[in-house]
Amino acid sequence: MPTEIFRLHRGDAPLLVSIPHNGTELPEAIAARLAPASRRVPDTDWHLDRLYAFARELGASVLVPRYSRYVIDLNRAEDDASLYPGQNTTGLCPVVRFDGEPVYLDGQAPAPDEVAERVETYWRPYHRALAEELERLRALHGRAALWEAHSIRGTLPFLFEGRLPDLNLGTADGASCASALQARLEAELAAQTGYDFVVNGRFKGGYITRHYGDPARGIDAVQLEISQRCYMDEDSFAWSEDRAARLQPLLRRLLATVLEARAR
């Protein structure tokens, strides 16, 4: 049983930044069963805790897991319902990588009872912490916002055609946040010229965005999927100081926009 499966920084602003795919660790018993290429955990949302480090300066709470999505995908429903029916995707305990190759060695994928155990050990504690922190912030401020921070390789034929835009904003087609907030975020993205973007394109928001976003109760949820070329080297997984420094001011403005909307 892991002693620490996530880190939660509690802020005092009405904003929680969740980074559910930032974890890179693998329990030894699971790592031993993975295909060699999978042990590099290539489908990690690399360095996002570092990219969003400034969020703490804005007063945001930040929730970051310790373990890789190959242990369990925290942005999937516990019943493993598909987020994008009819399209290639990966599951609650992924058995296929983003390149379409197997995560596990032959015959080593988890059986249903192991999946259920991982839900209890890793998934439920993270979601309990997320829900409790959102409610704490909502109780303090009357409203709260959830920013789902994600990144992905910009070209992945198994998952999507062609080149993914630099910035991919998702609001579950407008259901997970107030329309006024989405409009303000779109305006901020449209005002800059350094990055192309799309709203509710291939990535409309995962389980967390869709499940926790409830504008009628005062909780807005927004997902931003960043193409990793914007802040790192996609082949080596290395952080790029120059690329990150160019991107971070825009990310700061987007989070500031969320906070300004919450203050109204």
Side-chain angles (χ1 to χ4, degrees), residues 42-56:
D43 299 334
T44 300
D45 291 13
W46 296 100
H47 311 298
L48 283 190
D49 54 343
R50 183 174 180 182
L51 188 67
Y52 280 95
F54 66 86
R56 292 170 174 80

Side-chain angles (χ1 to χ4, degrees), residues 95-111:
V95 296
V96 177
R97 298 196 304 263
F98 287 173
D99 62 4
E101 296 299 316
V103 170
Y104 290 87
L105 298 168
D106 288 347
Q108 296 298 312

Side-chain angles (χ1 to χ4, degrees), residues 8-11 13-19 55 59-64 126 129-135 137 144-149 208 220 222 255 258-259:
L8 173 60
H9 167 80
R10 288 189 172 91
L15 173 62
L16 170 60
V17 177
S18 164
I19 317 179
S61 296
V62 182
L63 181 61
V64 183
Y126 188 91
L130 193 159
E132 289 175 356
E133 184 63 9
L134 276 179
E135 287 303 315
L137 295 176
L146 171 64
W147 186 269
E148 269 290 288
I208 293 175
D220 292 311
V222 176
L255 293 195
V258 172
L259 287 171

Side-chain angles (χ1 to χ4, degrees), residues 141-156:
H141 300 280
R143 301 184 69 85
L146 171 64
W147 186 269
E148 269 290 288
H150 293 263
S151 73
I152 195 169
R153 192 178 182 94
T155 304
L156 281 170

Side-chain angles (χ1 to χ4, degrees), residues 215-230:
R217 291 187 61 244
I219 297 178
D220 292 311
V222 176
Q223 175 176 302
L224 183 66
E225 188 89 50
I226 302 171
S227 290
Q228 291 174 342
R229 61 177 175 266
C230 296

